[in-house]
Amino acid sequence: MGLREEKKRETRAALSWAAIRLIVERGAENVLVEDIAAAAGVSPRTFNNYFSSKGEAVAARHLDRMVRFAEVLRERPTGEPLWTAILVAALAQVEPGPEVTALPRPDPVQWAAGVRAMLASPSLQAESLRAGVRAEAEIAASVAARTGTDAGRDLYPNLVAAAVTAANNACQQRHIASDGAASMRDLLTEAFTLLAAGLPEPGPR
């Protein structure tokens, strides 16, 4: 990736994170595009070059993570078992970027409550669904490339992509419900280990 493309990716990530952070802190109805642009250090016009709405900016963070997941999955060694490669690709997306680490760490309970409110917003949900469809297609294409199947014809890569998406969503929901106490790395490791084993029934407790 050239410097220009890398800069564009960084700006997109900064805008998406700024949208999430401000909406979590203030509520979607109390955040303007101008606020998001200012927080990311760019103009509203620049925001509009990347996103058509606040909701699209929020959903972009998940979409971009899943696109990078698909890229990493394609690059894993060909002899590596599929679910091992999937876990490695998933864990590679857990670490926050510089747009996150540069800011003070928020209170986990308040942050989780704000995220739950954000995810309940109908306008943001619609954008998240659209982003999820695209992300799943990217994952299916990567699975197809690794397995010699055709995402446009065969069930297998689409089924795996759907399972990956469901596992990621379940882990995120558990992480948020725990107010951040449940580690995403641990949750993803458990989820993909269970899927690799065929999702066996839990034993007696």
Side-chain angles (χ1 to χ4, degrees):
M1 181 184 298
L3 289 176
R4 187 166 181 270
E5 289 303 312
E6 181 62 28
K7 178 63 177 175
K8 288 173 66 175
R9 176 176 280 192
E10 290 174 358
T11 301
R12 178 181 167 88
L15 283 166
S16 181
W17 173 244
I20 292 171
R21 180 171 59 84
L22 292 177
I23 289 172
V24 167
E25 291 173 355
R26 306 179 189 176
E29 67 281 358
N30 298 317
V31 176
L32 302 175
V33 165
E34 289 79 4
D35 300 326
I36 298 169
V42 300
S43 68
R45 181 176 179 180
T46 297
F47 176 94
N48 291 326
N49 288 338
Y50 286 88
F51 305 114
S52 62
S53 68
K54 295 181 293 184
E56 186 180 2
V58 169
R61 190 162 187 84
H62 170 69
L63 173 60
D64 292 351
R65 276 203 306 266
M66 292 298 98
V67 169
R68 288 196 299 272
F69 168 94
E71 291 171 352
V72 173
L73 182 58
R74 283 178 182 270
E75 294 167 358
R76 296 301 302 167
T78 55
E80 189 173 52
L82 176 62
W83 287 103
T84 301
I86 286 173
L87 175 58
V88 172
L91 293 180
Q93 311 314 313
V94 172
E95 295 303 322
E99 71 279 1
V100 177
T101 55
L103 297 171
R105 191 174 181 87
D107 176 80
V109 175
Q110 291 181 353
W111 178 261
V115 170
R116 286 192 288 268
M118 179 181 70
L119 296 177
S121 170
S123 62
L124 300 184
Q125 286 177 344
E127 288 294 347
S128 294
L129 286 173
R130 276 192 282 270
V133 169
R134 182 178 164 191
E136 198 165 302
E138 294 279 352
I139 296 168
S142 289
V143 173
R146 285 191 65 87
T147 58
T149 54
D150 185 339
R153 183 190 66 234
D154 298 324
L155 175 63
Y156 184 80
N158 294 286
L159 188 60
V160 172
V164 168
T165 300
N168 184 74
N169 290 342
C171 290
Q172 286 186 332
Q173 290 167 9
R174 181 73 195 98
H175 175 71
I176 293 167
S178 73
D179 294 333
S183 159
M184 276 296 291
R185 294 187 68 86
D186 292 346
L187 290 168
L188 288 168
T189 299
E190 180 181 1
F192 289 124
T193 299
L194 287 170
L195 285 169
L199 207 59
E201 290 187 31
R205 294 190 175 223

